[in-house]
């Protein structure tokens, strides 16, 4: 797993596929006007840039105590 906090750039009006090594059990987006998430499976999500700006995405993984922010 990466460190608990990482920066990720998502282009407006584009999606970015993320495949994780562990199942995602919960997620939260601070500002849903900036970013949307489509979950395809427990380990595959797509981040969709809706508008310019910044927000925080928090992901909790099965078997890991600390979330990825």
């Amino acid at each position: 797993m990466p460190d608990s906090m990482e920066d990720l750039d998502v282009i407006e009006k584009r999606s970015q596929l993320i495949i994780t090594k562990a199942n995602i059990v919960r997620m939260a987006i601070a500002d849903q006007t900036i970013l949307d998430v489509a979950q395809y499976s427990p380990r595959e999500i797509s981040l969709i840039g809706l508008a310019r700006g910044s927000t925080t995405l928090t992901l909790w993984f099965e078997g890991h105590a600390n979330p990825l922010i």
Side-chain angles (χ1 to χ4, degrees), residues 10 14-16 27 29 31-39 45-51 55 57:
V10 179
R14 301 271 174 105
S15 66
Q16 183 168 343
M27 66 182 104
I29 304 168
D31 186 347
Q32 295 181 352
T33 65
I34 302 292
L35 181 72
D36 193 14
V37 176
Q39 188 165 11
I45 60 172
S46 185
L47 304 179
I48 304 161
L50 299 177
T55 189
L57 170 66

Side-chain angles (χ1 to χ4, degrees), residues 50-62:
L50 299 177
R52 289 181 174 238
S54 63
T55 189
T56 302
L57 170 66
T58 305
L59 300 173
W60 287 266
F61 296 95
E62 185 175 74

Side-chain angles (χ1 to χ4, degrees), residues 3 6 11 17 19 21 31 40-41 43-44 50 52 56-57 59 61-62 67:
D3 290 336
E6 292 286 334
I11 299 171
L17 181 66
I19 301 172
K21 293 181 180 180
D31 186 347
Y40 304 118
S41 74
R43 294 185 182 189
E44 289 184 340
L50 299 177
R52 289 181 174 238
T56 302
L57 170 66
L59 300 173
F61 296 95
E62 185 175 74

